[in-house]
Amino acid sequence: MPITIDLQNDPYYKEGIQKGIQKGIQAGIQKGIQTAMKQSIKGVYLIEKNPKKIAKILNIDENFVIETLKEIE
C-alpha cells in the first residue's frame, strides 16, 4: 500500500519554503548592496586613486575597497 504525503497541509514543508524564500531574499539584497558598493568604489576610484580616501568618502571598510580595486585591475 503506497504512502501519500500531503505537502500542502504539512506545517514543516510550509515553514521550510518560507525560510528558503527569506534566505533567498536576504542573499539577494546583500549581493545587491555589495554590487552597489563596488560600483561606488569604481566611480570614486576614477576621481580619487587613494584607497584610504575612497574608504573615507564612502564611509566603508578600507580592506573592502582594496579588494574591490584588485578586482578592477
Side-chain angles (χ1 to χ4, degrees):
M1 181 173 213
I3 299 171
T4 58
I5 300 169
D6 183 12
L7 293 177
Q8 291 288 333
N9 296 317
D10 183 353
Y12 296 109
Y13 177 75
K14 286 182 179 179
E15 187 180 333
I17 296 244
Q18 282 180 324
K19 283 185 179 179
I21 290 170
Q22 283 177 333
K23 284 188 178 186
I25 290 170
Q26 285 174 336
I29 290 169
Q30 285 177 331
K31 183 69 176 164
I33 290 170
Q34 193 175 44
T35 301
M37 292 302 286
K38 286 183 177 185
Q39 291 302 321
S40 296
I41 291 169
K42 288 176 186 176
V44 175
Y45 178 70
L46 294 173
I47 302 162
E48 183 60 67
K49 303 289 185 191
N50 185 329
K52 276 190 177 187
K53 284 188 180 177
I54 294 171
K56 191 172 183 179
I57 290 167
L58 297 174
N59 194 25
I60 56 175
D61 181 51
E62 188 180 337
N63 292 325
F64 184 73
V65 172
I66 292 166
E67 288 301 311
T68 301
L69 294 176
K70 285 180 187 173
E71 289 176 19
I72 295 171
E73 294 169 357

